[in-house]
Structures are given as structure tokens and as C-alpha cells.
Amino acid sequence: MMVSFKIIPLMLVVAISCLVGISKSQSTVPVVNGLSYSYYSRSCPDLDFIIRDHLFDVFERDITQAAGLLRLHFHDCFVKGCDGSVLLVGSSSTPSEKDAPPNLTLRHEAFKIINDLRAHVHYHCGRVVSCADIATLAARESVYQSGGPFYHVPLGRRDGLSFATQSETLANLPPPFFNTTQLLNAFATKNLNATDLVALSGGHTIGISHCTSFTNRLYPTQDPSMDQTLANNLKLTCPTATTNSTTNLDLRTPNVFDNKYFVDLMNHQGLFTSDQTLYTDSRTKAIVTSFATNQNLFFEKFIDAMVKMSQLSVLTGTQGEIRTNCSARNVIRHVNLKSVAQVDHEKERLSQY
Ligand code: HEM
Ligand SMILES: *[C@@H]1O[C@H](CO)[C@@H](O)[C@H](O)[C@H]1NC(C)=O
Ligand SMILES: *[C@@H]1O[C@H](CO)[C@@H](O)[C@H](O)[C@H]1NC(C)=O
Ligand SMILES: *[C@@H]1O[C@H](CO)[C@@H](O)[C@H](O)[C@H]1NC(C)=O
Ligand SMILES: *[C@@H]1O[C@H](CO)[C@@H](O)[C@H](O)[C@H]1NC(C)=O
Ligand SMILES: *[C@@H]1O[C@H](CO)[C@@H](O)[C@H](O)[C@H]1NC(C)=O
């Protein structure tokens, strides 16, 4: 086992929290057919530790990477299910397109981190663990190592063989200017309810955003549901609607996974329309308040919602494959037919939502 001594305190905390209350860290949300909490217990028993240990080093250098990994998992799951399709790279896409502003908001580093994790895991266990499962575990570690709850996730996902088209991507990822009605509808199509919506939006307790994702609330007219001091500060960060700058999503504790995001909302300091609307709208306001005043409740509901989200349209059994490289399918079929699908796929990765 290659676990370094630095991680031992972290392992003890997890071991103790598991002993003290397995019921708390293991959700009661149903497990879909083909997945299980003990999927790799024989084929890769050290999987959790390998991933935790590597991410411990990554986050020690730069804790902001946790947000990128959490968001990557969300995007993977909402578009075509949690099948690692978001990780696929079109082999001959043009760099200019790939780097086109302002859409490059899924972090480059997150893709690299997933591939590094895959290399470690496959070195120790062989090619038995999917990239989709690695992304799921990386999201779990991102939450936990940022100060959030530890929770078990069902495993056994297989990697998809195809890309999502741009229209599939746009249709499935809710944009930041959605109101509560639109968000509730978008989440309902994934069998996620109002509690899940508010809890998952709590993922915005860590991470950053580019100006283009929220300047609809500043220009040409300022959104009256935004706190004036926040609006003034955001106008300094983003003097125009398309300034290439970033700001923190949670202004109280930007890199800590806690319930302060909901305190922000209660103070009209949510960044996106899709954040603040959860407090403005009577259908979700009470849920926001309950999470702002009870962090344990938020953690409990977040775990349930994450376990639900992490099981959306998964491939299991003999479906799909276990990729040797998270960025590419094992067998490139139809080498000469790439253009439309692969170029479209690039846009999944580049989507601004
Ligand atoms: C409710 C619908 C959601 C909308 C409209 C939304 C929208 C966005 C947008 C626009 C950004 C900023 C992108 C940029 O400009 O750089 C962002 C960032 C982020 N989102 Fe969401 N999101 C939603 C749900 C979620 C969920 C369910 C999670 C995870 C549980 C999540 C986790 C994150 C994280 C961690 C970041 C920061 C990423 C980073 O720092 O690189 N979001 N989101
Ligand atoms: C935005 O800024 C980042 C970091 O300074 C830089 O890497 C990126 O190329 C910039 N994008 C544009 C469109 O200028
Ligand atoms: C960014 O994405 C939006 C929709 O996803 C698209 O309409 C726009 O053309 C893209 N911009 C660039 C520069 O790629
Ligand atoms: C939400 O947005 C939709 C579409 O723009 C609009 O029809 C609806 O009236 C809005 N709902 C609320 C409660 O603002
Ligand atoms: C929504 O689902 C969660 C589990 O994720 C459950 O605890 C909650 O009772 C449900 N809420 C409603 C209003 O159905
Ligand atoms: C993985 O696949 C990507 C995309 O095809 C490629 O650029 C990269 O070199 C591959 N990595 C390895 C280690 O083969």
C-alpha cells in the first residue's frame, strides 16, 4: 500500500467516523441495479485510499482544485449520465476552438487530475476501475477534504463510448440565469426534487465564477435582489459584462465546504440568478433557511442528493468499457468519421454552464 504518512490523520478521521456512525455516512437513497457500495472490495481494496492520498497532495498545493473536480462530476452526470463522457477529448479538434473564450470554464487541471488518479489506480489494481467511478470518488474527496461531510458512494459505473452533442449539453445543464421554476423543472427531469436542488446548489459553497456567468445581474440594469455592497464589488471586478476575471462563489468562506453559501443567500449575496432565486421563491426559501441555520441538515440532504445524482443513467455490467485513458475511448472506431461528433463533444467541455 502506497499511502503516505501525511494522510494517516485523515484516514483515522474517516475510520472513526465510519465506526461511530456508518448510518450517517452511508445514504439510505436506493442503489441502482449494477452498482454497489462494495464493488471494488476485492478487485481494488485500496481504491479509496489511493484516491484520497493523491488528492491530499493536490489539495495541499491548491485547494481550489476541489471545486473544479466537484463541478466536473456534476456536468458528467447531468449530460448523458455519469459515464465519464465529459472527459473524452476529440482527437483532432482544433486548439483555437478548444480555447475559445468565454466558454472554457471547466478547468483544464481537473481533467489532468482525473487522468493522474486513473494512472495510480490502474498501476495498483489493473484496469478494473472506470473513469466515471474515479470522477465520482474525486468529487466525494473534494467535498470531504474541503471540510464537508464524508460519505460512501455506490460504485461500478462503466465508461461511455460516445460524446454528448452540443445541443444535448445545452439542454441538460441549467444556465446561471434560470429562475426557481426553471431549475425545479430541470432537476425534476433528473428525478431530483426541491430539497435536492437546494442541497446540490450548496456545491457553490466552494469555487469561482467568471464575470460572464453573472453580469446579467449587473448590466444594463442591476438585479434588485442583489445586495448593494456585493453589486459594487462585482462591478469593480467586472467593469464590463465580458471582463475576463473571476470571483468567489461563496463570499464568506470561499474554499470551505460549509453552509455559509445559504447564509449568503439570506443576505442577498448569492452570485447567480440561479442561486439567489432559491431564497426569493417561496417554494425553496424555507429549505435555504433550514440549511443556513443547521449545517448537519444541509450535509445530510447534500449526501442524499449527491448519491442520487451520482447514479443518473449509469452504465453497468458489460455496458460501455473501462477506459485505459480517461480522455479517449479504448478503440477508435470510424477514425475518419470523427468531425461532427468530436467537434460537438468539445463544446460539452467548453460549455459555460
Ligand atoms: C443548480 C444549477 C446550477 C447552475 C445554474 C450552475 C452554474 C454554475 C456556473 C455558471 C458556474 C461558474 C462557471 C464559470 O463562470 O466559471 C458554476 C461553478 C461551479 N459549480 Fe455550479 N451550477 C449548478 C449546479 C451545481 C451543482 C449541482 C454542483 C455540484 C454539486 C455545482 C458545483 C459547482 C462548483 C464547485 C463550481 C466552481 C467551479 C470552479 O471553481 O472551477 N454546481 N456553476
Ligand atoms: C483570461 O485570463 C486567463 C488568466 O489570466 C488567461 O489564461 C486566459 O487566456 C484569458 N482569456 C481570455 C479570453 O483572454
Ligand atoms: C460559447 O457557448 C455558447 C453556447 O454554449 C455559444 O453560443 C457561443 O458561441 C460560444 N462562444 C464561443 C466563443 O465559443
Ligand atoms: C421564470 O422564468 C420563466 C421563463 O422566462 C417565466 O415564464 C416565469 O414567469 C418565471 N417565473 C418566475 C416565478 O419568475
Ligand atoms: C426529496 O428527496 C430527498 C432525498 O434526496 C428526501 O429526503 C426528501 O424527503 C424529498 N423531498 C420531497 C419534498 O419530496
Ligand atoms: C489520452 O488520450 C488523449 C486524447 O486522445 C491524448 O491526447 C493523450 O496523449 C492520451 N494519453 C496517453 C497517456 O496516452
Side-chain angles (χ1 to χ4, degrees):
M1 173 128 145
M2 40 70 76
V3 172
S4 70
F5 73 91
K6 281 181 296 184
I7 195 151
I8 287 174
L10 202 56
M11 288 168 61
L12 281 175
V13 172
V14 173
I16 290 165
S17 56
C18 291
L19 286 171
V20 170
I22 191 137
S23 57
K24 268 202 136 175
S25 58
Q26 189 159 309
S27 171
T28 54
V29 162
V31 175
V32 310
N33 273 344
L35 299 188
S36 112
Y37 281 105
S38 55
Y39 193 83
Y40 298 110
S41 62
R42 297 174 81 169
S43 58
C44 194
D46 292 337
L47 176 59
D48 282 17
F49 296 132
I50 296 166
I51 290 184
R52 184 165 308 137
D53 187 48
H54 182 72
L55 289 181
F56 185 85
D57 289 340
V58 169
F59 296 156
E60 197 175 42
R61 283 194 296 276
D62 180 8
I63 188 61
T64 72
Q65 297 301 336
L69 290 167
L70 178 58
R71 184 165 180 242
L72 187 74
H73 177 58
F74 161 56
H75 281 208
D76 189 21
C77 291
F78 261 56
V79 184
K80 275 171 62 65
C82 318
D83 66 347
S85 58
V86 71
L87 301 167
L88 291 169
V89 172
S91 56
S92 49
S93 64
T94 56
S96 59
E97 186 170 340
K98 197 171 145 196
D99 296 324
N103 288 353
L104 196 66
T105 60
L106 278 175
R107 299 185 191 216
H108 276 310
E109 299 99 318
F111 296 96
K112 162 112 172 52
I113 294 167
I114 297 289
N115 258 318
D116 290 347
L117 288 169
R118 192 261 316 140
H120 285 296
V121 168
H122 288 185
Y123 175 80
H124 284 274
C125 303
R127 183 164 56 89
V128 292
V129 183
S130 66
C131 296
D133 274 347
I134 289 170
T136 305
L137 288 167
R140 188 271 301 279
E141 286 303 321
S142 298
V143 169
Y144 176 58
Q145 295 196 36
S146 298
F150 178 81
Y151 57 96
H152 296 280
V153 283
L155 298 170
R157 292 164 196 75
R158 306 264 301 174
D159 294 322
L161 302 172
S162 61
F163 310 129
T165 63
Q166 183 183 32
S167 54
E168 263 181 299
T169 304
L170 290 175
N172 284 284
L173 285 177
F177 50 80
F178 263 17
N179 65 30
T180 295
T181 304
Q182 295 166 306
L183 291 169
L184 285 170
N185 289 339
F187 276 59
T189 66
K190 312 289 179 193
N191 289 315
L192 296 169
N193 66 29
T195 307
D196 298 321
L197 165 63
V198 178
L200 287 172
S201 296
H204 291 170
T205 179
I206 55 174
I208 57 166
S209 168
H210 293 78
C211 295
T212 48
S213 300
F214 57 84
T215 44
N216 69 307
R217 303 184 67 202
L218 300 174
Y219 312 116
T221 39
Q222 194 182 308
D223 183 337
S225 71
M226 186 186 282
D227 168 67
Q228 189 58 52
T229 307
L230 176 63
N232 293 343
N233 288 335
L234 291 177
K235 284 175 180 169
L236 291 176
T237 307
C238 312
T240 77
T242 55
T243 306
N244 181 22
S245 305
T246 60
T247 194
N248 293 325
L249 295 178
D250 170 8
L251 84 178
R252 287 186 165 69
T253 51
N255 297 317
V256 181
F257 196 100
D258 57 14
N259 67 340
K260 292 295 189 291
Y261 162 83
F262 299 104
V263 177
D264 296 339
L265 299 190
M266 290 184 73
N267 287 284
H268 307 282
Q269 293 159 335
L271 192 59
F272 305 136
T273 304
S274 64
D275 296 318
Q276 197 57 52
T277 184
L278 300 173
Y279 189 68
T280 313
D281 193 290
S282 60
R283 288 165 294 179
T284 44
K285 183 172 188 162
I287 307 173
V288 170
T289 308
S290 70
F291 291 166
T293 52
N294 184 346
Q295 180 164 275
N296 286 338
L297 181 68
F298 164 48
F299 283 179
E300 189 187 307
K301 297 298 180 190
F302 181 79
I303 292 172
D304 285 344
M306 281 296 277
V307 171
K308 279 189 189 175
M309 185 178 86
S310 79
Q311 301 189 95
L312 288 173
S313 305
V314 291
L315 302 176
T316 59
T318 56
Q319 296 172 313
E321 64 184 8
I322 308 291
R323 281 181 214 143
T324 52
N325 172 351
C326 291
S327 315
R329 286 176 299 175
N330 291 343
V331 179
I332 306 292
R333 300 182 185 103
H334 314 304
V335 180
N336 297 322
L337 289 180
K338 75 99 243 206
S339 46
V340 175
Q342 289 186 351
V343 166
D344 276 352
H345 166 68
E346 277 305 299
K347 293 174 183 162
E348 173 180 2
R349 298 183 60 206
L350 304 180
S351 164
Q352 76 182 114
Y353 307 134

